Each structure stands twice: as C-alpha cells, then as structure tokens.
Amino acid sequence: DGGITQSPKYLFRKEGQNVTLSCEQNLNHDAMYWYRQDPGQGLRLIYYSQIVNDFQKGDIAEGYSVSREKKESFPLTVTSAQKNPTAFYLCASSITGNQPQHFGDGTRLSIL
Amino acid sequence: SQQGEEDPQALSIQEGENATMNCSYKTSINNLQWYRQNSGRGLVHLILIRSNEREKHSGRLRVTLDTSKKSSSLLITASRAADTASYFCATTSPYGNKLVFGAGTILRVKS
C-alpha cells in the first residue's frame, strides 16, 4: 500500500527542547510539505521541498527546520525557538507542486 | 497568507439534503482543489478543477469555478452522515508550486 506515514501520533515537548517529527512516503513523489493546523483554522505552510537536497521556507518557517536527504523522508524539527508549538502537524507529498497532495494522519504536539 | 476563504464557516443539514460550500480567492490561479478532513485525520483530496474549466463532477460532488468572480463552489448531493467533515479549498498560482488553503467549512450531516 502506498502512502505517507507520520510518527509519532502524539508528542510532548518540554521547555527548551527540540523535537523531531517523522514523515516517510513510498509514493515516489518528488515534492513534500509540512503544514501546521491550529484549532478551527486552515493549514499554514511551514516548509516544502521540490526535490532531494533542496527545500524552501513557507509562510511560518521561524522556529522550525527540515532536511531532505532522501526522496522518501522529510523530517521536521520543532526547535526551542518556536515559542508556541502546540498544534496539529501535517505532512504531505505530491508528484509536482501543482498536483493533488496526499496527506499523512498528522502528529499532535503539546507542551509539557 | 491564506488566499481561499470558505463560506459558510459551518453548515448543518439533514441526511439526504444537498450541501453547498463556497470558496473565494484573491489572485490568479493555475488550479483550485477541494479537500475533506475528518476529525483528527489528514486531508483527503476530492477534486481538482483547472483555471480553464468551469464545472467538474465526481460521483456526488459537483465543483464549479468562476474565474471572473474568483470563486468556486462545492456541491455534495444526497448527503450522508459519513460526509460529516471539514472541507477546504486550496489554490495554486500560475507561477508557484505550492497550495494555499482556506480556513474551511465544517459540515455536519444529521441522520
């Protein structure tokens, strides 16, 4: 079965701690994306990557970092610089930038 | 920045009725896409309509696009309780390679 897997489903962060959210896809898609969703709101783009070893900032990149060393993987690190990290994080992939995106089931991040 | 805005914010209907959701956007688009999100889950792509298309159908879904008014509508016919979800429109620009999402419409279908 092809798809996107996000892990963990729930994550808790302590003050001053960096945490990394995993996103893996086996759809052979070139493009991958990270979004943040706050309650009752739409999705805001954090980072995206069109191809391996390349990525661009989205609308709310401050306090986050990513890497794209493999086509299948696009991990997101929420750093201690992100002062309000509590949110639902969604990873997605697509064949190219304008095509429909396939989403994982999200990681819910909370502060301890 | 969010380009698409859905209307209404919330909609509650009886099973069997039709549901109509609207989306407005601000700048030129390459295509407009509709997604569904069940509570606590990821989004699922429903339908894509290109800027040179005016109407598209998929099963019980009908999407229209009016580029002169910069608006789109999603019609779900003969709704079912399983259609209860949030629905989002998203646009891609002619020059860009990413989606911009609206805030969504919460649809509740009562059985």
Side-chain angles (χ1 to χ4, degrees):
Chain A
D1 270 351
I4 296 188
T5 302
Q6 289 188 242
S7 63
K9 193 170 176 67
Y10 300 96
L11 188 57
F12 297 90
R13 195 191 87 170
K14 294 179 183 177
E15 269 321 305
Q17 186 182 42
N18 293 351
V19 293
T20 297
L21 285 61
S22 170
C23 178
E24 303 277 332
Q25 55 103 355
N26 60 3
L27 299 165
N28 201 31
H29 286 171
D30 282 319
M32 295 187 75
Y33 310 83
W34 274 105
Y35 296 93
R36 170 179 171 140
Q37 187 176 31
D38 291 286
Q41 297 190 29
L43 278 63
R44 291 185 289 168
L45 184 64
I46 304 172
Y47 269 99
Y48 63 106
S49 168
Q50 299 288 321
I51 199 166
V52 176
N53 291 323
D54 186 51
F55 49 83
Q56 288 82 40
K57 293 182 180 180
D59 299 318
I60 55 165
E62 187 174 346
Y64 301 97
S65 66
V66 293
S67 63
R68 186 89 187 275
E69 296 174 2
K70 297 187 299 182
K71 188 174 187 177
E72 305 79 24
S73 179
F74 192 39
L76 173 74
T77 296
V78 183
T79 75
S80 56
Q82 172 49 248
K83 296 307 178 189
N84 183 24
T86 298
F88 190 48
Y89 290 87
L90 287 161
C91 178
S93 71
S94 64
I95 296 171
T96 63
N98 285 332
Q99 295 304 304
Q101 293 184 8
H102 296 251
F103 283 79
D105 268 341
T107 292
R108 194 167 297 279
L109 176 61
S110 302
I111 296 294
L112 276 179
Chain B
S1 58
Q2 293 197 330
Q3 152 130 288
E5 295 201 3
E6 285 91 340
D7 166 55
Q9 288 186 325
L11 181 60
S12 183
I13 59 174
Q14 290 293 133
E15 205 164 27
E17 293 180 339
N18 294 343
T20 299
M21 287 159 269
N22 303 297
C23 169
S24 60
Y25 58 91
K26 298 188 177 101
T27 60
S28 298
I29 63 170
N30 175 286
N31 65 56
L32 185 145
Q33 302 176 28
W34 284 91
Y35 289 80
R36 183 187 74 228
Q37 183 181 34
N38 290 91
S39 182
R41 303 294 300 272
L43 278 70
V44 174
H45 177 259
L46 295 175
I47 198 164
L48 178 154
I49 187 165
R50 294 183 173 78
S51 60
N52 61 353
E53 296 176 311
R54 292 298 165 256
E55 188 170 313
K56 207 159 181 182
H57 296 253
S58 176
R60 294 185 295 114
L61 305 181
R62 173 177 167 251
V63 168
T64 61
L65 179 65
D66 187 336
T67 52
S68 68
K69 294 181 179 177
K70 292 187 169 58
S71 67
S72 173
S73 67
L74 171 66
L75 168 68
I76 303 174
T77 59
S79 62
R80 305 166 182 168
D83 294 328
T84 294
S86 294
Y87 291 82
F88 295 90
C89 69
T91 55
T92 64
S93 77
Y95 322 104
N97 47 22
K98 54 185 180 176
L99 287 176
V100 179
F101 285 85
T105 292
I106 300 170
L107 173 65
R108 182 183 169 212
V109 181
K110 295 177 282 186
S111 55

